Amino acid sequence: MFIFLWTGRSKYKAAEAIAGVLALEKTLESHQSIVRELEHQLISNSVNDITTFNLQLNDACARCAKVAETHVRRRAGLGISESADLQKLKKNVYLQVRMNAHALKI
């Protein structure tokens, strides 16, 4: 009789899920800043072509909404231990600098 122990890589999957949530948070912040910049341009009346600007703003808002939806879904998919690990990692300054650099690269 053989007993098969599944030694899957669940700890790696958890780490990937946490990294994905952190990356999504930084990406969401980046998209939100783009939307704010576009809205500021509109408020300051520095828009040359309103049609093109409207397309850019709609596209930026759509991307922001899509990333936000994905973020909520992935965050809800984390377990209790992964949520605790996520909170610990959010306080890590080194990781924050790396994630900011990664978000800028995207």
Side-chain angles (χ1 to χ4, degrees):
M1 176 179 206
F2 292 100
I3 297 175
F4 177 71
L5 294 175
W6 184 66
T7 58
R9 306 195 185 244
S10 63
K11 67 178 180 179
Y12 298 122
K13 292 290 183 183
E16 287 176 5
I18 292 170
V21 169
L22 286 171
L24 281 171
E25 287 178 359
K26 291 301 176 183
T27 305
L28 182 60
E29 289 174 10
S30 175
H31 285 302
Q32 288 171 339
S33 70
I34 291 169
V35 170
R36 280 193 302 270
E37 287 176 19
L38 289 170
E39 289 173 343
H40 181 65
Q41 286 178 6
L42 183 63
I43 291 170
S44 65
N45 203 16
S46 61
V47 176
N48 294 332
D49 184 17
I50 193 69
T51 305
T52 305
F53 177 80
N54 194 23
L55 290 173
Q56 287 176 343
L57 184 60
N58 287 337
D59 183 48
C61 287
R63 287 182 186 195
C64 189
K66 184 177 179 183
V67 170
E69 180 184 328
T70 304
H71 176 259
V72 168
R73 242 188 6 260
R74 288 209 183 155
R75 179 125 186 179
L78 294 179
I80 295 171
S81 62
E82 288 92 6
S83 294
D85 289 343
L86 179 64
Q87 292 304 319
K88 287 181 201 173
L89 287 174
K90 280 185 174 181
K91 296 176 184 175
N92 187 337
V93 176
Y94 174 75
L95 183 65
Q96 288 176 359
V97 171
R98 296 278 304 197
M99 295 306 293
N100 287 338
H102 180 69
L104 290 175
K105 192 185 286 186
I106 294 176

